Amino acid sequence: MLVVSTWKFGYDANQKAWSVLQDGGSAMDAAVAGVTVTELDTAVRSVGYGGHPNAAGFVQVDAAVMDGRTLGYGAVAGLEGIATPTAVARSVMEATDHVLLVGNGARDFAIDQGFEPQEMLTPDARSAWEDWRKQGEDHDTLPADSHDTIGALALDGNGDLAAVCTTSGIAYKLPGRVGDSPLIGCGLYADNDVGAAVATGRGEEIARTCGAFQIVTLIRQGQTPQEACETVVRHLVDRVPSSAEHQMAYAAIDKDGNVGGAAVRAFPYAVTTEGVNEVREGFRLFSETD
Ligand code: SD4
């Protein structure tokens, strides 16, 4: 059994996910429960409740789940007023024969499924947004925590894999903007036969290369998760050099429990398995001073 989540805050998500696995829960149960902790944590300004709003002051979240057993996938994008979008994405996968719901349709569906609508903009996030507006809405002066998606990968006791991804996207984005996180193959991918991968960073860059799918394909062809993550980061930066101005990061696992992580810049990710519960530093292409 194994759980891997992006960023330092992934550590808390992993504790929850690991306890679900230990209680006999599935990889999907564990991954969703883990990231729900992050979605509800107001200290995390880039995911779920308390996330940074879009330019118009509304928190619009994106989330997705993928089930490695069936290649089943469900996602929501541009969803407002629901604090746990990953659970909604799971409902899209399980309760509809669609894969992606957006905007008001996603919200109506969530409410229909029993999710409680709520205000998503916290006073802290509102005041940071108001400051940004007063300073002239300059996209070069975004808050330091203006993005940081949580992606989580889980391998359960049956050998099943799940990948999930959830974000409030880039701070002060254009209303309606959707990043890579809810897009299959870009933000996440999972296949029981091979492994699973998630992405975090600047969605506009990440979405160019379908990196999560590429990583799983490279593992299928014999690369380790670490090699596959590095290959995909290098490929993007070689192919589109301007993308290196942004952060792009991937974490991956294979079906045997090997783990990898690589990014353009510093990328901590959390790893929890039997006897291991730690935050690791991913391979990075550039140091902070490059
Ligand atoms: C997005 N990929 O919406 C997300 C943001 C993010 O780390 O991951 N940041 O583009």
Side-chain angles (χ1 to χ4, degrees):
M1 297 193 298
L2 170 68
V3 188
V4 172
S5 300
T6 56
W7 306 111
K8 280 192 188 134
F9 53 59
Y11 185 86
D12 292 341
N14 274 19
Q15 308 319 300
K16 178 66 185 177
W18 184 249
S19 74
V20 171
L21 288 180
Q22 283 190 313
D23 290 346
S26 68
M28 181 61 71
D29 293 338
V32 174
V35 302
T36 300
V37 170
T38 320
E39 288 175 338
L40 297 177
D41 183 349
T42 52
V44 179
R45 290 278 191 83
S46 45
V47 178
Y49 179 53
H52 288 298
N54 63 20
F58 297 97
V59 180
Q60 285 187 330
V61 297
D62 302 333
V65 303
M66 185 160 181
D67 185 338
R69 290 175 305 178
T70 57
L71 308 188
Y73 156 71
V76 290
L79 173 63
E80 292 182 22
I82 304 288
T84 55
T86 308
V88 181
R90 183 179 187 173
S91 292
V92 172
M93 179 177 75
E94 292 177 347
T96 79
D97 59 358
H98 305 311
V99 294
L100 172 60
L101 297 180
V102 306
N104 290 340
R107 181 184 154 93
D108 291 347
F109 167 76
I111 293 169
D112 204 48
Q113 290 286 307
F115 291 85
E116 284 288 324
Q118 68 169 77
E119 174 56 61
M120 293 282 283
L121 188 61
T122 56
D124 280 357
R126 175 189 290 277
S127 86
W129 169 69
E130 282 168 353
D131 288 348
W132 173 75
R133 292 189 74 196
K134 277 184 215 135
Q135 284 157 18
E137 307 196 358
D138 179 0
H139 281 275
D140 290 333
T141 58
L142 294 180
D145 57 356
S146 66
H147 62 77
D148 273 356
T149 294
I150 186 158
L153 306 169
L155 171 64
D156 66 24
N158 294 326
D160 291 329
L161 290 167
V164 308
C165 200
T166 174
T167 190
S168 51
I170 307 258
Y172 318 145
K173 60 193 177 185
L174 281 179
R177 177 267 186 194
V178 174
D180 60 303
S181 304
L183 304 181
I184 189 170
C186 297
L188 76 172
Y189 202 80
D191 182 345
N192 263 18
D193 291 349
V194 183
V198 284
T200 174
R202 174 108 189 150
E204 284 72 5
E205 306 305 323
I206 292 168
R208 294 176 193 278
T209 61
C210 300
F213 180 68
Q214 267 206 70
I215 286 169
V216 172
T217 300
L218 290 166
I219 298 172
R220 191 193 302 277
Q221 291 169 349
Q223 291 197 10
T224 64
Q226 182 60 38
E227 289 166 345
C229 289
E230 291 180 27
T231 302
V232 167
V233 169
R234 284 186 203 284
H235 169 248
L236 176 51
V237 169
D238 287 347
R239 181 66 184 76
V240 186
S242 61
S243 67
E245 290 162 24
H246 303 281
Q247 171 66 309
M248 287 100 62
Y250 292 97
I253 63 177
D254 67 15
K255 65 182 169 49
D256 301 318
N258 298 300
V259 178
V264 176
R265 293 185 182 73
F267 173 50
Y269 62 97
V271 179
T272 304
T273 186
E274 207 56 60
V276 176
N277 193 23
E278 63 190 19
V279 174
R280 291 186 189 162
E281 211 33 73
F283 164 84
R284 68 165 94 162
L285 211 49
F286 304 125
S287 72
E288 293 307 313
T289 51
D290 286 336

